[in-house]
Amino acid sequence: MTYQNAQPHGIKPFKPLPRLFGRGALALVIGAYTVYTLGPFLWLATMSVRNTGEISADHYAWPSPFRWEQFRVAWVDSAFDTYFWNSAIVVVTAVAVVTLVGAAAAHALARYRFRGNRIIYGILFSSIIFPPQITLISLYQILVDYNLYNSLTGLTLVYISLQLPLTVYLLEGFFARIPQDLFDAAKMDGYGDIEIFRRIVLPIGMPAIATTLILNFIQLWNEFLFAVVLISDPEKRTLPIGIRAFMGDHFQDIGMIAAGVMISVIPVIIAYAFFSEKLIRGMTAGAVK
Amino acid sequence: MAVVQLDSICKRYGGVGPVAVDNVNITIADGEFMVLLGPSGCGKSTTLRMIAGLEDISSGTLSIDGRVVNDVPAKDRDIAMVFQSYALYPHMSVADNLAFGLKRRRVPTADIDRRVKEAAQILGLSQLLDRKPHALSGGQRQRVALGRAMVREPMVFLFDEPLSNLDAALRVNTRNELIRQHHRLASTMIYVTHDQVEAMTMGTRICVMNGGKVAQVGAPLDVYWQPADTFVARFLGSPPMNLFTLPVASNGAEIGGGPVLGPLSRWREATLAKLAGQEAILGVRAEDLHLSREAAGAAGGTIRGRVFAVEPLGAETLVAVETDGGVECTARLPRDVAARVDEVIDLHFAASATYLFDKASGKAIPADGETHRPHAPRGALQ
Ligand SMILES: Nc1ncnc2c1ncn2[C@@H]1O[C@H](COP(=O)(O)OP(=O)(O)O)[C@@H](O)[C@H]1O
Ligand SMILES: [Mg+2]
């Protein structure tokens, strides 16, 4: 901190808040927030390995015994495996396409001057500020017209279109800050446009790409509204609709519902753990040095 | 090994708008170290980037070894460039940065290895090959940038102000290193800078640019001693050449009178006859001004003015005076000079140290006979 050095000699440095108090307050806020977000999750986790009888006896007790078989029951007996794989296929495909196409589009918008560049950017931006629900009815009609209603392909396409604008917007902001000299240097080193994208933009943009990747993954993994409107066949349900149906079937069985929800949350946790370091770097990356 | 020829090269950004580079004609000989020198915004980088192939050429022809390359993309020109920002790939190690250009050109792996090791050794980077650029000092980054160009063994090297991000001591070292590499490689090098010291010390020739145009091309000392116009006269030299707009005497023997008087014995009568009675610009370099009349010789000129600043630099002292007419003038005097602020002093200069420029165009009016080149410049450059 240069703060104290900046004070002229002889004048006592003015301290807005004693350092210790500031730290303590910060820790308190973070602690409260952690309890607020982590508490319900841990509660749910404990309930997922207890049966409903135990839960009604004492809502908050530590599980004993741990009834791991609830996960197996939820997975096998309630078609969770189908929901899970449907979700996995739709979300992974959509996220992959969104990431690749989004990164390429963002690079083009950030780096190339062409007629209509800013118009495209403006359209993308405006599609972010409108709530996606307003497209629901027309999307339904379009999917029916193209025979894509009630199909995973249709849902995947919808998911791609939902997440693409924000992805392009976020990546464009990051890519635009990559110094032009790097591109010029790569050109002088003999590389063409596509190779520069692959060997310079993608690796340098990795923190930002990881950020959008995980945001898109979480968003789509939990997506309910479009899935419930555009999918009717039980065989084609994704996890969020599956859990909804499961809650209907097991209305009384809190323990089973908790196990089902835990199953759906696990991939998000894994994805987050896998990318979190890059995610944090992406969020804190001020500029590319 | 290459001759680079710029023939009537012009550049307008976006096809319209102001001219960034205006009708530039230069031929850079094989193995030459050509410095493009000029103030910021004069079009040096634009010129260099057109040679590199990073900017389109609006009009004119660019040829390398006789082949017109206007439409050859940068990647196929076999030119390497060192950027002011170094432009090291942040996600690659030093070794990968060095090898990146060679890999694209399908140089055999063993060859790449050898060349990278060799360049690293020459530039003292051998211990750093596994580091990422962010873990290097400014000077080390600079050397990696240089090495990346060297390993390519290109036809032409381009440098865009490569030393401007280094501190003073490192800049001198690296300058010498670059001169040594130029001797070793004997390649054609084109070097952009706004620093006259770099230009004077490194260039085989320098090309002074102003407002997108070439003001003068020549060997450094030729340009220094025979500036083509007032712009070059002031841009080369620190402090800049002193200029006074004054009337030429009707007999043409001298210029000015009163506080500033300059002898015109360097010019032939025929030249002066045309100027007699009209105004012209008298130029004298700061290092040609002396306190004693003897040092300037008998038929010298004089500037009388009131001292308003004394700047001791250690090795010498800069004394700034203001004449009666309100014109400022700086003299580079010995370090033990006894000048005080507000004192009125006379500064003397030799007839041979006089320059004359046309008032309207600023162009030099060449002296007839002996060219002014009295002695090695005494501390002419810092
Ligand atoms: N990409 C650009 N678009 C528009 N004008 C530019 C661009 N780059 C440079 N210029 C203009 O061209 C002129 C020359 O710039 P430049 O070649 O960078 O000068 P230098 O390198 O001598 O400082 C300047 O007036 C500058 O504003
Ligand atoms: Mg420049």
Side-chain angles (χ1 to χ4, degrees):
Chain A
M1 292 245 107
T2 53
Y3 162 68
Q4 289 186 334
N5 299 339
Q7 298 298 322
H9 288 292
I11 300 174
K12 266 209 159 170
F14 165 71
K15 290 189 178 174
L17 272 179
R19 180 74 52 84
L20 214 62
F21 179 74
R23 284 267 169 85
L26 186 66
L28 209 69
V29 171
I30 291 175
Y33 184 73
T34 308
V35 170
Y36 172 74
T37 51
L38 207 59
F41 176 75
L42 288 178
W43 187 29
L44 185 81
T46 60
M47 289 197 294
S48 70
V49 287
R50 307 169 70 202
N51 66 28
T52 305
E54 291 163 351
I55 293 169
S56 19
D58 181 352
H59 295 181
Y60 302 107
W62 190 248
S64 94
F66 284 77
R67 302 185 187 278
W68 298 109
E69 71 273 12
Q70 297 208 114
F71 282 85
R72 191 186 51 76
V73 174
W75 180 263
V76 178
D77 299 354
S78 308
F80 250 77
D81 54 343
T82 312
Y83 307 151
F84 190 94
W85 291 122
N86 287 345
S87 260
I89 288 165
V90 170
V91 173
V92 168
T93 314
V95 168
V97 173
V98 164
T99 304
L100 213 66
V101 174
H107 173 56
L109 285 173
R111 203 51 59 176
Y112 296 97
R113 287 204 221 157
F114 54 88
R115 196 182 293 274
N117 180 318
R118 289 297 100 179
I119 296 174
I120 294 175
Y121 187 76
I123 292 172
L124 277 173
F125 187 66
S126 64
S127 71
I128 294 169
I129 54 182
F130 292 118
Q133 290 86 325
I134 61 174
T135 62
L136 193 53
I137 294 170
S138 39
L139 263 179
Y140 172 83
Q141 195 56 49
I142 291 168
L143 289 196
V144 169
D145 288 351
Y146 284 90
N147 267 334
L148 289 168
Y149 173 71
N150 194 26
S151 79
L152 293 181
T153 315
L155 190 64
T156 308
L157 290 174
V158 169
Y159 278 0
I160 291 170
S161 73
L162 280 182
Q163 297 308 112
L164 203 51
L166 186 65
T167 306
V168 174
Y169 177 73
L170 291 176
L171 291 182
E172 200 266 357
F174 191 89
F175 289 174
R177 290 203 306 265
I178 301 177
Q180 177 64 31
D181 278 358
L182 290 183
F183 296 89
D184 291 340
K187 271 190 218 168
M188 301 302 294
D189 270 343
Y191 289 86
D193 289 356
I194 292 183
E195 288 159 311
I196 289 176
F197 176 66
R198 199 165 70 78
R199 291 165 176 273
I200 306 288
V201 178
L202 288 187
I204 294 176
M206 211 50 218
I209 293 170
T211 306
T212 60
L213 196 136
I214 193 158
L215 288 179
N216 287 332
F217 183 83
I218 293 171
Q219 188 93 6
L220 292 181
W221 190 258
N222 295 330
E223 204 287 324
F224 181 78
L225 180 66
F226 284 83
V228 82
V229 173
L230 302 175
I231 298 289
S232 56
D233 190 343
E235 281 295 294
K236 291 176 183 161
R237 281 175 183 158
T238 55
L239 262 179
I241 334 176
I243 291 169
R244 180 76 195 76
F246 185 69
M247 283 164 77
D249 297 346
H250 298 251
F251 192 62
Q252 304 296 328
D253 199 343
I254 309 276
M256 284 308 287
I257 293 174
V261 171
M262 281 307 287
I263 289 175
S264 79
V265 169
I266 285 165
V268 175
I269 295 173
I270 291 173
Y272 193 85
F274 194 70
F275 286 107
S276 66
E277 191 208 346
K278 288 201 163 122
L279 178 70
I280 289 161
R281 273 204 292 157
M283 289 193 294
T284 55
V288 191
K289 267 189 86 178
Chain B
M1 300 293 108
V3 178
V4 179
Q5 190 164 10
L6 285 75
D7 191 0
S8 313
I9 296 281
C10 295
K11 173 69 182 181
R12 282 172 194 274
Y13 279 100
V16 287
V19 197
V21 170
D22 191 359
N23 194 28
V24 166
N25 293 285
I26 347 171
T27 302
I28 298 143
D30 184 26
E32 189 168 26
F33 196 115
M34 173 63 93
V35 178
L36 303 183
L37 175 69
S40 170
C42 73
K44 310 177 296 286
S45 295
T46 305
T47 306
L48 198 72
R49 291 170 58 83
M50 284 191 285
I51 298 172
L54 296 171
E55 297 286 353
D56 299 333
I57 297 168
S58 303
S59 67
T61 41
L62 171 70
S63 35
I64 298 173
D65 273 347
R67 182 173 77 121
V68 175
V69 294
N70 283 39
D71 297 323
V72 177
K75 64 190 177 72
D76 302 324
R77 284 194 194 183
D78 197 15
I79 293 176
M81 181 157 168
V82 177
F83 295 82
Q84 179 174 2
S85 65
Y86 312 144
L88 302 182
Y89 310 117
H91 55 298
M92 295 183 201
S93 67
V94 169
D96 288 339
N97 263 282
L98 293 175
F100 194 60
L102 297 177
K103 282 183 186 147
R104 177 66 185 87
R105 291 186 157 77
R106 310 235 181 284
V107 177
T109 318
D111 231 21
I112 295 181
D113 263 14
R114 183 184 54 74
R115 286 206 223 170
V116 167
K117 288 224 175 70
E118 197 179 284
Q121 218 222 312
I122 290 168
L123 296 170
L125 296 169
S126 301
Q127 307 303 313
L128 307 171
L129 284 173
D130 296 328
R131 297 245 192 116
K132 292 271 175 67
H134 67 81
L136 300 178
S137 71
Q140 291 166 339
R141 284 181 209 183
Q142 211 285 337
R143 277 180 279 146
V144 177
L146 179 59
R148 190 168 65 180
M150 272 169 35
V151 293
R152 290 251 320 269
E153 299 171 6
M155 294 213 296
V156 183
F157 284 86
L158 306 179
F159 301 88
D160 194 351
E161 313 221 10
L163 307 186
S164 55
N165 289 338
L166 299 179
D167 60 49
L170 208 49
R171 200 176 302 169
V172 175
N173 283 344
T174 316
R175 208 164 74 200
N176 294 333
E177 177 68 37
L178 269 174
I179 295 170
R180 187 160 59 233
Q181 292 308 325
H182 177 242
H183 283 301
R184 188 178 69 86
L185 299 163
S187 310
T188 309
M189 296 188 173
I190 307 174
Y191 185 101
V192 161
T193 182
H194 65 266
D195 183 319
Q196 51 163 318
V197 182
E198 282 173 28
M200 294 294 286
T201 52
M202 300 172 83
T204 343
R205 282 194 299 160
I206 62 183
C207 166
V208 185
M209 293 184 69
N210 181 26
K213 291 189 167 72
V214 173
Q216 190 171 4
V217 184
L221 286 177
D222 288 347
V223 178
Y224 187 82
W225 291 119
Q226 294 151 53
D229 57 26
T230 50
F231 172 80
V232 178
R234 284 187 67 79
F235 196 79
L236 274 187
S238 170
M241 184 186 278
N242 299 297
L243 300 177
F244 307 89
T245 306
L246 298 165
V248 177
S250 50
N251 64 2
E254 57 196 26
I255 180 168
V260 183
L261 183 72
L264 296 179
S265 49
R266 289 178 72 208
W267 287 266
R268 235 199 309 259
E269 267 173 47
T271 315
L272 294 171
K274 279 178 250 156
L275 291 169
Q278 297 176 34
E279 289 203 314
I281 299 170
L282 165 72
V284 188
R285 289 209 180 274
E287 69 268 23
D288 288 328
L289 292 169
H290 309 278
L291 273 183
S292 76
R293 181 177 292 279
E294 293 72 50
T302 315
I303 297 164
R304 171 167 300 172
R306 181 182 299 277
V307 177
F308 70 88
V310 178
E311 301 174 35
L313 298 179
E316 69 247 318
T317 300
L318 298 183
V319 175
V321 303
E322 187 177 347
T323 66
D324 237 8
V327 183
E328 291 176 10
C329 160
T330 307
R332 189 183 270 273
L333 297 174
R335 61 183 163 214
D336 52 1
V337 67
R340 285 188 316 277
V341 171
D342 276 344
E343 189 183 357
V344 173
I345 58 170
D346 278 349
L347 296 166
H348 303 280
F349 55 96
S352 63
T354 314
Y355 290 86
L356 205 54
F357 302 92
D358 183 74
K359 189 191 165 200
S361 66
K363 292 259 176 289
I365 299 169
D368 307 288
E370 190 99 335
T371 330
H372 174 55
R373 204 165 196 175
H375 45 71
R378 165 171 58 81
L381 297 157
Q382 282 179 335

